[in-house]
Amino acid sequence: MSPAPFPPVEPAGGSALWAGYLRAGLEAAETAPGDIGDVVGIGGRLDPASVVTAYRLGAFPMGLGEGGTPPMGWWSPTWRGVLRPGHVHISRSLRRSLRRFTVTVDEDFAGVVAACADPGRDGRWITDDVAAAYTQLHELGWAHSVEVRDEDSTLVGGLYGLAVGGLFAGESMFHHATDASKAAVVALDRIVGADGDPRRIIDVQWRTPHLGTLGIEEIHRREYLARLAAALQAPALDLRSVAAVSDPLRSAPGTA
């Protein structure tokens, strides 16, 4: 697979009707009860223009059926998990683990997506259609992967997601070695925060106990949408180039 282009190629075929549908869903979600308010749209397509539009509005796709199967849901959680670049928390045990890993960006997007979509994983939601959609977004320069390798250069962890302006929206991550997925988050934090632009945010969808140990905070949808509007005004980052000229894991305080 060829490296993702930079800057990303704006996808053709954007629909004002689709954007309007999602905006209406976001407005309705404010008065919806409980978790029902997390889903702001149902159906639609996974073409690049529709997906990028959704992220710009604060929504992301995930199937509502078993294992992520149709119908497609477009989610904007009432409480969103986010990480402010430069604020990742590194415990002493994680600091020791980081020394075992190296990190690259966009060198094995297909491998990272395949590992995240492993049918043997609990809570699997990445279908073949979702994997194909993000592969197409990668080819256009929107979707990116962070690969974590061990001392033998074996892929043991990573994550992938979408970069839009100053937003990096993480979609999924995996690990085959202890702390490898955490290493991917630490590296992403350093890469996205490399230029010190305070408008940038890393979106992880939901704050889980696992992610909470890394400093992920939980904010209400209204605050998330306000931060998103600012992030989208930040210039796009060439994530691969930033990673190539620095060592994201060794640049983390105390990991040399």
Side-chain angles (χ1 to χ4, degrees):
M1 184 178 294
S2 300
F6 184 83
V9 179
E10 189 68 31
S15 167
L17 287 175
W18 174 242
Y21 170 70
L22 290 179
R23 287 192 182 98
L26 284 162
E27 292 176 5
E30 284 300 299
T31 58
D35 292 341
I36 295 175
D38 285 358
V39 179
V40 299
I42 297 176
R45 301 183 300 171
L46 286 173
D47 62 283
S50 295
V51 176
V52 172
T53 294
Y55 279 93
R56 283 173 169 155
L57 293 173
F60 58 86
M62 182 183 296
L64 298 171
E66 182 78 20
T69 55
M72 183 56 64
W74 297 86
W75 299 73
S76 183
T78 305
W79 294 98
R80 196 77 161 239
V82 299
L83 175 64
R84 290 179 294 159
H87 289 75
V88 70
H89 174 70
I90 304 173
S91 67
R92 280 184 291 181
S93 61
L94 177 57
R95 190 175 301 143
R96 290 191 296 269
S97 294
L98 295 181
R99 301 186 182 114
R100 306 196 312 265
F101 303 125
T102 56
V103 166
T104 55
V105 170
D106 286 346
E107 287 197 1
D108 191 2
F109 185 84
V112 170
V113 172
C116 290
D118 182 353
R121 295 184 69 185
D122 290 337
R124 175 184 180 264
W125 61 271
I126 302 171
T127 62
D128 290 346
D129 287 344
V130 168
Y134 283 86
T135 298
Q136 191 174 6
L137 286 161
H138 174 70
E139 292 168 351
L140 293 173
W142 298 96
H144 302 276
S145 59
V146 175
E147 302 90 19
V148 178
R149 293 181 171 83
D150 64 12
E151 296 97 327
D152 299 321
S153 297
T154 301
L155 182 67
V156 293
L159 59 81
Y160 79 94
L162 221 67
V164 186
L167 164 72
F168 188 94
E171 280 297 302
S172 186
M173 61 184 183
F174 80 98
H175 71 276
H176 293 156
T178 301
D179 289 337
S181 60
K182 290 184 178 180
V185 175
V186 170
L188 180 67
D189 171 82
R190 300 306 173 190
I191 293 167
V192 174
D195 67 351
D197 191 327
R199 296 172 294 180
R200 299 189 186 281
I201 55 173
I202 297 171
D203 169 17
V204 301
Q205 300 176 348
W206 287 279
R207 182 185 183 276
T208 65
H210 173 76
L211 290 171
T213 65
L214 294 170
I216 304 298
E217 60 181 310
E218 198 171 54
I219 61 176
H220 194 274
R221 182 192 298 115
R222 287 187 293 272
E223 182 179 352
Y224 174 79
L225 294 177
R227 290 196 196 182
L228 174 62
L232 293 177
Q233 299 305 310
L237 271 181
D238 188 346
L239 305 179
R240 183 180 173 90
S241 292
V242 172
V245 299
S246 65
D247 188 334
L249 295 183
R250 307 304 176 263
S251 67
T255 58

